[in-house]
Amino acid sequence: EKPHLNGVYTFFMKNDLSSVVLVFNDRNELVLQLRAAKDDNFPLHWDFSAAGGITPGENHKTAAKRELREELGIKVDLDYIGEEFYQDNDFTDKLYIYKTKHNGPFIPDSNEVEEVRFFKLEQIEEMLKAGVKFHPEFIYLWNKGILKEIREG
């Protein structure tokens, strides 16, 4: 009975595909964006350098480059890292993860991004411990140790 219920539950879950980009500078600091105050989802939460949904018919690398242009105003080459699944109670998101190097400047879209700033990973860890608001998918990848692995890899 339980597998059947899980199957029904999974069938009704919302499933998404998203591209995530992690931008590091020459000092191995990570760019984070503070989501705009008027954002519908997680306003004023720190988030990946750039991220967003993949539109139907779009491949994940094209989506990653589009999000970088839209959110940070940059065009750069990307290195594909891998995939992760994020799941909460009624939502599953397949994350395609990319990284790149860029020292700025950035031209953030004020409709989507409140602020863009470089952080040492140790600073991010302190912010998380202090209860600073972060997007749940960022927290998920952070807790899995993936961001540290990517920086060191």
Side-chain angles (χ1 to χ4, degrees):
E1 184 172 303
K2 188 169 180 142
H4 174 72
L5 289 176
N6 284 343
V8 170
Y9 179 71
T10 302
F11 177 76
F12 288 108
M13 289 181 74
K14 183 177 187 297
N15 295 292
D16 273 342
L17 302 172
S18 297
S19 288
V20 168
V21 184
L22 303 168
V23 179
F24 292 90
N25 65 13
D26 289 338
R27 295 182 304 206
N28 262 341
E29 296 168 322
L30 176 63
V31 171
L32 296 182
Q33 64 163 276
L34 184 63
R35 296 167 69 95
K38 56 190 163 201
D39 198 307
D40 292 338
N41 297 308
F42 305 102
L44 298 176
H45 284 60
W46 288 101
D47 202 352
F48 301 110
S49 308
I54 301 169
T55 59
E58 183 178 43
N59 73 48
H60 49 85
K61 187 169 191 174
T62 301
K65 288 184 171 201
R66 176 179 48 77
E67 291 296 339
L68 272 176
R69 277 191 321 276
E70 290 175 2
E71 296 178 2
L72 300 182
I74 62 172
K75 294 180 183 181
V76 293
D77 290 331
L78 300 174
D79 295 322
Y80 179 67
I81 301 301
E83 303 166 12
E84 282 290 328
F85 282 92
Y86 170 80
Q87 183 174 334
D88 71 10
N89 294 334
D90 58 356
F91 176 79
T92 300
D93 199 2
K94 184 174 185 179
L95 306 173
Y96 294 92
I97 305 166
Y98 288 87
K99 79 171 182 177
T100 192
K101 287 267 190 187
H102 190 70
N103 292 309
F106 301 100
I107 307 164
D109 177 349
S110 61
N111 292 315
E112 296 192 50
V113 180
E114 199 76 24
E115 181 182 349
V116 175
R117 195 185 326 162
F118 283 106
F119 291 94
K120 293 182 166 112
L121 294 191
E122 298 77 19
Q123 290 173 288
I124 296 170
E125 190 159 345
E126 290 304 315
M127 291 166 67
L128 286 161
K129 286 179 184 174
V132 173
K133 292 187 222 173
F134 280 83
H135 191 285
E137 291 179 359
F138 180 92
I139 294 170
Y140 173 75
L141 291 186
W142 180 271
N143 288 340
K144 286 193 79 171
I146 291 169
L147 298 175
K148 287 181 183 177
E149 287 176 25
I150 291 171
R151 181 189 70 170
E152 293 163 6

